[in-house]
């Protein structure tokens, strides 16, 4: 939980302050973190009340009821924490896709995640009638009924299988996203590997599968502690890995030492980066990097002038959504249907004058 809080906090800082493009995927990841914190609270308080202990360790029926109640609350919270994290990762990848087939796959994964999450949540919610019978069933005077444990176990296996499939798809799809990019193989592997981090959660799901049969164990609270542990690890891995892929601008910001990383601010005082805008002072000849190399009309001895180079805006050709939170992997999309194109740069001379006293 601590690692997830730190990484999501860094992600929020990147999106709100550096990139200044807080999107739906970022908001959903913050929501997933909130649910994950609630899940950890349920696990901590539940452990203090007996989760992980054998029935014979309980000396009070009231404490036993509290342990079952906190287990029930934890599993209800887990489903939505894990599902919302997966949806956030899918939306982040969706912003990088250009092919219709990839978008269909991602929307299909989002729909599948919502469907199986809602299905499993409703099954667990109405597992017992009334709902409170789940933790009151240890009281001999209480009345109610629950689904057969074999049915609940089959649904748990079905949910875990689809979860693994969705996680693996989220891990494999980035390879196809970067396949057609104009970059060397090493860079493609690095970018694809970073974007595939969100699939790490499937490791915990796979490890959890052999323990699912303990749902049907009579010593429920003691036998299912492995299920609880790996469910927490699954959710934490998904949130952490899904947020790590968004921290690339943070390293640029730290290396540049600038106060902002916004793409909407052309002012040199607020954005002194070399990309996309740059200000070049007149200096001695340095070949093609010196403005006088391509502007022979400039005076190289003029120290009061600054040459500002501005790349032509391409928002009318390729514009990210207003709530976009991802750097474009396809910067050439929409510029032209031909592979041959140019980027226009305008240069102008700014003369610094002193005010009269």
């Amino acid at each position: 939980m601590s690692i997830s809080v730190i990484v999501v906090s860094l992600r929020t800082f990147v999106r709100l302050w550096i990139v200044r493009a807080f999107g739906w995927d970022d908001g959903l990841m913050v929501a997933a973190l909130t649910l994950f914190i609630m899940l950890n609270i349920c696990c901590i308080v539940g452990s203090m009340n007996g989760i992980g202990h054998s029935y014979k360790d309980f000396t009070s029926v009231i404490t036993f009821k509290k342990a079952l109640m906190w287990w029930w609350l934890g599993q209800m919270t887990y489903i939505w924490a894990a599902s919302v994290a997966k949806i956030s990762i899918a939306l982040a990848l969706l912003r990088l896709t250009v092919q219709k087939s990839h978008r269909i796959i991602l929307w299909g994964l989002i729909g599948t995640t919502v469907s199986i999450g809602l299905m499993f949540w409703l099954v667990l919610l109405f597992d017992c009638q009334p709902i409170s019978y789940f933790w009151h069933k240890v009281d001999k005077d209480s009345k109610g009924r629950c689904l057969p444990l074999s049915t609940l176990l089959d649904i748990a296996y079905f949910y875990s299988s689809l979860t693994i499939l969705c996680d693996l798809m989220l891990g494999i799809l980035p390879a196809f996203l970067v396949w057609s990019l104009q970059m060397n193989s090493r860079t493609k592997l690095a970018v694809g590997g970073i974007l595939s981090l969100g699939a790490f959660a499937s490791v915990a799901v796979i490890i959890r599968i052999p323990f699912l049969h303990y749902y049907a164990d009579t010593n429920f609270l003691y036998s299912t502690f492995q299920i609880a542990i790996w469910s927490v690890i699954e959710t934490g891995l998904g949130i952490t890995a899904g947020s790590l892929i968004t921290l690339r601008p943070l390293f640029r910001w730290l290396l540049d030492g600038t106060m902002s990383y916004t793409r909407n601010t052309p002012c040199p005082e607020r954005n002194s980066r070399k990309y996309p805008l740059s200000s070049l002072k007149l200096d001695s000849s340095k070949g093609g990097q010196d403005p006088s190399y391509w502007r022979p009309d400039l005076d190289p001895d003029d120290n009061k002038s600054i040459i500002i180079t501005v790349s032509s805006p391409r928002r009318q050709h390729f514009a990210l959504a207003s709530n976009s939170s991802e750097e474009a992997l396809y910067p050439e999309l929409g510029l032209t249907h031909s592979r041959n194109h140019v980027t226009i740069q305008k240069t102008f001379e700014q003369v610094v004058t002193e005010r009269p006293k």
Side-chain angles (χ1 to χ4, degrees):
M1 181 179 67
S2 301
I3 296 174
S4 299
V5 169
I6 292 173
V7 175
V8 174
S9 298
L10 291 175
R11 174 182 183 148
T12 304
F13 171 75
V14 169
R15 296 312 189 194
L16 289 178
W17 178 252
I18 300 179
V19 179
R20 298 189 181 181
F22 195 84
W24 282 103
D25 52 338
D26 306 307
L28 287 174
M29 192 59 80
V30 173
L33 176 65
T34 303
L35 292 168
F36 184 51
I37 293 174
M38 294 172 59
L39 169 60
N40 280 269
I41 292 174
C42 291
C43 292
I44 294 171
V45 178
S47 298
M48 296 172 62
N49 283 275
I51 290 180
H53 287 270
S54 177
Y55 286 163
K56 62 182 181 181
D57 295 334
F58 289 92
T59 58
S60 172
V61 176
I62 296 177
T63 305
F64 197 4
K65 290 180 180 180
K66 288 182 179 179
L68 289 172
M69 183 186 68
W70 283 110
W71 169 270
W72 183 85
L73 289 174
Q75 68 179 3
M76 301 297 289
T77 309
Y78 150 75
I79 295 173
W80 286 118
S83 299
V84 173
K86 289 180 178 63
I87 295 173
S88 174
I89 297 172
L91 284 178
L93 294 177
L94 192 63
R95 300 186 186 283
L96 305 177
T97 58
V98 293
Q99 295 187 19
K100 185 177 180 181
S101 59
H102 295 163
R103 299 182 67 87
I104 292 175
I105 292 174
L106 285 172
W107 279 116
L109 290 176
I110 293 175
T112 302
T113 301
V114 173
S115 299
I116 62 175
L118 182 61
M119 176 204 68
F120 197 38
W121 183 79
L122 290 175
V123 168
L124 295 178
L125 178 64
F126 299 109
D127 176 27
C128 296
Q129 295 294 333
I131 295 175
S132 59
Y133 183 69
F134 183 87
W135 55 88
H136 283 300
K137 57 186 176 183
V138 296
D139 192 347
K140 297 180 180 180
D141 297 332
S142 61
K143 296 182 180 180
R145 59 183 180 86
C146 295
L147 291 174
L149 292 177
S150 59
T151 302
L152 187 62
L153 187 60
D154 291 339
I155 296 175
Y157 278 117
F158 177 72
Y159 171 81
S160 297
S161 300
L162 289 182
T163 298
I164 294 173
L165 178 62
C166 291
D167 288 341
L168 292 179
M169 289 296 295
L170 290 176
I172 296 174
L173 189 59
F176 295 93
L177 297 181
V178 302
W179 184 262
S180 58
L181 295 183
Q182 295 181 358
M183 57 178 64
N184 57 49
S185 301
R186 183 177 179 181
T187 305
K188 286 183 179 181
L189 289 175
V191 174
I194 292 173
L195 294 177
S196 300
L197 288 175
F200 277 0
S202 63
V203 177
V205 182
I206 294 173
I207 297 176
R208 186 184 61 192
I209 287 181
F211 302 103
L212 290 180
H213 69 276
Y214 287 118
Y215 263 120
D217 197 294
T218 54
N219 203 355
F220 179 78
L221 290 178
Y222 173 75
S223 302
T224 56
F225 76 94
Q226 289 281 9
I227 298 176
I229 289 175
W230 288 108
S231 296
V232 171
I233 293 177
E234 172 203 349
T235 310
L237 277 177
I239 293 174
T240 301
S243 297
L244 284 175
I245 64 178
T246 66
L247 300 186
R248 178 185 170 195
L250 179 63
F251 297 100
R252 287 186 176 181
W253 179 77
L254 292 174
L255 292 174
D256 289 350
T258 55
M259 291 304 295
S260 70
Y261 181 87
T262 175
R263 56 175 178 251
N264 300 324
T265 308
C267 179
E269 288 79 5
R270 296 185 61 187
N271 193 347
S272 60
R273 300 180 291 110
K274 294 293 195 306
Y275 42 86
L277 305 178
S278 62
S279 297
L280 305 176
K281 282 184 175 293
L282 291 180
D283 201 350
S284 59
S285 177
K286 296 181 181 179
Q289 299 297 326
D290 184 12
S292 62
Y293 180 82
W294 36 269
R295 286 291 301 272
D297 57 311
L298 300 176
D299 183 3
D301 297 325
D302 185 4
N303 295 323
K304 293 185 178 181
S305 298
I306 297 177
I307 303 302
I308 299 179
T309 304
V310 182
S311 297
S312 60
R314 294 185 295 175
R315 288 181 178 272
Q316 65 270 28
H317 301 292
F318 179 77
L320 296 175
S322 60
N323 64 341
S324 176
S325 62
E326 294 295 335
E327 296 176 286
L329 289 182
Y330 298 89
E332 299 173 357
L333 177 66
L335 187 62
T336 175
H337 292 289
S338 173
R339 291 187 177 181
N340 301 320
H341 63 272
V342 296
T343 300
I344 300 175
Q345 291 187 330
K346 301 177 183 178
T347 63
F348 59 91
E349 181 179 6
Q350 179 179 356
V351 180
V352 180
T353 58
E354 296 183 357
R355 293 183 179 181
K357 297 183 180 178

